[in-house]
Amino acid sequence: MASGQQWVLVEMVQALYEAPAYHLVLEGILILWIIRLLFSKTYKLQERSDLTEKEKEDLIEEWQPEPLVPLMSKDHPSLNYDIVTGPPSHKIIVNGKECINFASFNFLGFLDNERVKQKALTSLRRYGVGTCGPRGFYGTFDVHLELEDRLAKFMKTEEAIIYSYGFATIASAIPAYSKRGDIVFVDEAACFSIQKGLQASRSFIKYFKHNDMEDLERLLKEQEIEDQRNPRKARVTRRFIVVEGLYINTADVCPLPDLVKLKYKYKVRIFLEESMSFGVLGEHGRGVTEHFGVNIDDIDLISANMENAVASIGGFCCGRSFVIDHQRLSGQGYCFSASLPPMLAAAAIEALNIMEEDPEIFTILREKCKHVHKALQEIPGVKVVGEAYAPALHLQLERSSGSRDTDVRMLRSIVDYCLERQIALTLARYLDKEERFLPPPSIRVVVTIEQTEEDIEKAASCIREAALAILK
Amino acid sequence: MPPSMTKSSANKQINGDVCHRTSNGKTSSRRNGFVKNHCLFQQPQQKSRRPSENDHVVRNASLYNKAFVEQFEETPLLVAVLTYVGYGILTIFGYLRDFLRHWGMEKCHVAREREEQKDFVPLYQDFENFYTRNLYMRIRDNWNRPICSVPGAKMDLLERASKDYNWTFQHTGKVVKDVINMGSYNYLGFAENTGRCADAATESTHEYGVGVGSTRYEMGNLDLHEDLEQLVARFLGVESSMAFGMGFATNSMNIPALAGKGCLILSDELNHASLVLGARLSGSIIRVFKHNNMVSLEKLLRDAIVHGQPRTRRPWKKILILVEGIYSMEGSIVRLPEVIALKERYKAFLYLDEAHSIGALGPRGGGVVDYFGLDPKDVDIMMGTFTKSFGAAGGYIGGKRELIDYLRSHSHSAIYATSMSPPVSQQIITSMKIIMGEDGTTLGGVRLRQLSENTTYFRRKLREMGFIIYGNDDSPVVPMMLYMPAKIGAFGREMLKRNIGTVVVGFPATPIIESRARFCVSAAHTRDILDTALEAISEVGDVLQLKYSRHQRRPHLPSSLGSWSSEESLLQEPNHVKPSVM
């Protein structure tokens, strides 16, 4: 066999000798051609341009960009924010006028609490104001660890993680888990930070009608059928339901027990945003899980800000370590941002202390909420939107004039009327063009435990007068 | 005055660009551009084999009023090879350990999914966390070190111990006192718990409390915020400004208000995550240019205008260029004069993120614009943060009145996010007034000079010791190359043993082979502190063999860095350096 092969080789060499010259030349050229093809630059269609330098130059000269920002009309309301002088606590000075505050999310009245202030000051005297670094690079203070620990204990979860900005909390948490190709089922009334988190995640977003479990189940079923068609893809497609505990836009509560049932039926994880319900609902203020008596471990992630009931700054996520710990490297707003100023963390700890010492305050708050809700009923032309125990209600027009601008102007007149009479209210503000489902215009009425019965009566009668005068 | 701030005639002589990515003397390039190919800046004459050699070689001396000295010494080949080998070994061991964990031969510390949810789609792909599990975990003790004092020139660290190889930490209860802090972004030393700033913050806490409980547009617009914004506008030299509660969100929540569909965003490849996120959320098309490379930027600009939007070929609505003042991982300073020249020629808008440079650069602490002696009006959007130089938190945007008016009604942050905490706002007001000298003292000027002197001194010393230091000579962010993965952990730990806290970074914050340590020089550092730190760095550098630089050993090479290891020496011997600059 070996000799046979040798013979073939010899024959080939011999053939080379005998081949005519033109043949060799041709083959040589072909080989060179192949080499050229292999090593030549691949050319891209887009890069080919038939324009001459002169023509390009003309195009560049001719191009006129739009202005950086469109010109604003001089009377746009945002150019003159209401100015608050002094603390936005129970009594608030708006545009130079002292009012009773029905506008700041200071549900438990911690904003002006002496104990909270003292704790913050002690911390300020120890650590200064800023942290000068992200958590990873010497921006982790012992206060942060303590606050995380306390929050986890308060919520009875394994772990908590704090962010330095309430808005960034859920907006960073969602894209830490849900990636391109994953599916998120979201309530239509979800707040803006959830919407931004979803956008950053680049997942498939499926909106279900507000608090409509049948609609959600319909979407989940559709997805199940889709999954059966493509089981390989289904095995790696994560699914999430994102809901709010107490919706900031509608002031009603999500049907959590039903959601948990759906979760296990369709194997979807639940992310719950509790900025409005944390420190409000439930016997101990643990939020909507406690309100419904749902096992907190059934919720994969709970996020809330510490800017409402806690009256500090920042936000947190809590849940099982398996879930939460991931954010320490993947939560963008956590990794890439300076950490929370220690004095604000200290203030939050003290607020938690008060909440733990005196769970009565939640009962008081609920009573006040009910009181306000009742007092605002039957105002002509205006309807109250929201649960009776929600601390931030919406007053909407019963009949819209048909134009959002007119509606907003009418509501603003009511607000101005009340401001004039020392009741501070505010319109709920939205970015009209950015909201996925724009809520109807409304006046926000915020309940705090500091409001007395007289305050509430006064506010209610003031709004009634205004409605009678303006909505005629 | 420190040499870096003088604009002496000697300085003029050497003005322009002496930026080196590599050590080999590049053929001197001349400005031509306009006539031949209509470009403002010269296109590269020939393709070089190594892409890195191409970076940072554009020279437009006439635009600069002083030397622009920026260096990125090439990675030595042997070091690069060894680094890859290091990662190779770590990866092999990682797979081995994963195998052992899988078969239960090694205890697995990773948190587990609940039993009830075992049949859900896994929350994480297994390979996603390979790096975290097998590489990061080994040296995790170098990050998130808890501190329990002011993050000033010295700080106190809580001692941690781990019984399970960094999977969990326990606090021993001991405090490591007076660790020299080379990690915090405390450029001007305003992280203080005593003094004017702290007093003012205390007072405003008494007055306002710590929270606000509403958004700017609703009921959270305090008089304090208005004061702050007027002051910031004055400080920056712009018409108007707006402040936001978080620096990261200032970028990610305002860029979407400025650009949208049909717009083009040109972004530096090393831009911060917040800029990248903001650009993504805006829905614009994003194109990335090479770091600080004006040729690359100009090419993108020309192509964009000539070709218009992809597919439809419609002209772009607008083009927004996103750059940072100081790049926090490279220590480089943006080539602002060139960027402005380009932006004006091609009618683009410029968004300048001064997170690290505001307060830290320029004779008046006004950031890169001040540093280059430019007009702030040439920058369309001036963005920056209060976290670093001002020792507070939050961010701002400054610019023309129309811009800020528009943001007041369209910024996501102004409408949906709780406004800035009162004591934090007060801290900014007080520290900014000190920098501007409006408090009636010269303390601000002293801090600015101290920072500049410290920066020059620290950088020069490190370079003299033979370390590879990246970035601009005037940048207080000083990255020192470690390269090999094992040295990341070793350096951080050895430094801590010597009572010095440093930041070490590796992949994914840096390119895989360019792991580094980063020092942030502060005005609060005294010469003694810096000397102690330098001594320790040198010692550890010897132990770990970190003195990679080859320039020291060849001091006679005309264009090598050794001949002008600092600007100081340039000034003394202008003739000596002539051949090395333009």
Side-chain angles (χ1 to χ4, degrees), chain A residues 41-330:
Chain A
K41 218 178 118 194
T42 49
Y43 89 104
K44 285 189 196 131
L45 206 63
Q46 309 89 283
E47 275 182 13
R48 245 190 65 192
S49 167
D50 303 327
L51 301 171
T52 65
E53 283 300 323
K54 174 83 176 57
E55 285 166 325
K56 280 187 187 172
E57 208 52 33
D58 289 344
L59 278 173
I60 289 168
E61 284 307 315
E62 275 166 28
W63 181 64
Q64 276 304 333
E66 286 179 4
L68 180 59
V69 289
L71 209 62
M72 298 273 299
S73 65
K74 284 267 181 285
D75 57 340
H76 196 283
S78 67
L79 299 186
N80 304 299
Y81 292 158
D82 294 323
I83 296 177
V84 176
T85 326
S89 48
H90 176 49
K91 287 270 162 52
I92 182 171
I93 301 171
V94 188
N95 301 333
K97 195 153 191 108
E98 195 186 74
C99 303
I100 302 161
N101 195 347
F102 280 87
S104 306
F105 293 126
N106 179 22
F107 306 139
L108 299 176
F110 291 157
L111 206 87
D112 210 23
N113 188 300
E114 246 346 276
R115 271 179 69 184
V116 174
K117 276 188 189 175
Q118 281 312 323
K119 260 291 159 59
L121 286 175
T122 315
S123 171
L124 169 68
R125 283 290 163 206
R126 183 157 177 210
Y127 304 98
V129 176
T131 57
C132 287
R135 287 291 293 265
F137 304 153
Y138 303 102
T140 302
F141 286 62
D142 46 359
V143 206
H144 294 139
L145 300 175
E146 190 189 338
L147 177 57
E148 284 177 351
D149 208 38
R150 290 293 306 277
L151 282 167
K153 287 217 176 80
F154 182 84
M155 293 297 283
K156 299 195 170 163
T157 53
E158 281 180 7
E159 196 168 337
I161 178 171
I162 53 175
Y163 284 78
S164 55
Y165 204 46
F167 190 96
T169 312
I170 189 74
S172 292
I174 294 173
Y177 304 98
S178 183
K179 310 282 182 195
R180 199 188 279 277
D182 297 338
I183 300 169
V184 189
F185 302 91
V186 198
D187 192 290
E188 279 183 356
C191 66
F192 198 70
S193 55
I194 292 181
Q195 294 173 35
K196 286 293 124 181
L198 295 173
Q199 201 187 336
S201 75
R202 303 196 266 187
S203 314
F204 286 116
I205 315 295
K206 298 195 171 173
Y207 285 95
F208 59 90
K209 291 210 183 74
H210 176 54
N211 272 352
D212 186 341
M213 290 303 105
E214 279 168 23
D215 197 38
L216 173 60
E217 187 153 18
R218 177 183 63 82
L219 289 173
L220 289 167
K221 273 203 181 114
E222 272 176 21
Q223 188 55 41
E224 202 175 36
I225 294 164
E226 183 72 22
D227 287 347
Q228 280 160 0
R229 242 183 262 152
N230 196 349
R232 274 183 70 187
K233 195 176 159 204
R235 270 205 299 277
V236 293
T237 309
R238 287 165 280 223
R239 301 117 229 264
F240 305 91
I241 297 173
V242 179
V243 288
E244 274 179 79
L246 198 58
Y247 286 87
I248 184 169
N249 290 349
T250 57
D252 53 2
V253 81
C254 70
L256 198 61
D258 297 341
L259 283 163
V260 171
K261 268 182 222 144
L262 288 178
K263 162 183 169 163
Y264 287 106
K265 189 167 170 199
Y266 295 96
K267 308 202 190 318
V268 194
R269 294 169 198 274
I270 298 182
F271 286 3
L272 182 61
E273 198 336 289
E274 290 224 66
S275 289
M276 281 288 136
S277 46
F278 173 73
V280 174
L281 294 187
E283 198 186 339
H284 299 91
R286 283 189 202 111
V288 75
T289 45
E290 197 183 25
H291 175 78
F292 283 116
V294 168
N295 179 5
I296 201 156
D297 280 343
D298 283 336
I299 311 299
D300 293 84
L301 179 139
I302 291 177
S303 119
N305 72 30
M306 302 186 284
E307 294 164 354
N308 301 342
V310 179
S312 180
I313 298 285
F316 70 92
C317 287
C318 63
R320 291 171 48 83
S321 296
F322 172 71
V323 179
I324 300 299
D325 201 46
H326 183 65
Q327 286 178 54
R328 297 197 189 272
L329 287 173
S330 307

Side-chain angles (χ1 to χ4, degrees), chain B residues 93-108:
Chain B
F93 270 88
Y95 278 115
L96 180 71
R97 305 274 300 269
D98 270 1
F99 175 81
L100 294 177
R101 282 187 202 116
H102 184 77
W103 294 101
M105 280 178 264
E106 187 185 325
K107 199 177 158 211
C108 187

Side-chain angles (χ1 to χ4, degrees), chain B residues 161-172:
Chain B
S162 178
K163 289 189 189 117
D164 48 7
Y165 303 99
N166 289 349
W167 285 93
T168 56
F169 290 104
Q170 292 81 38
H171 295 287
T172 58

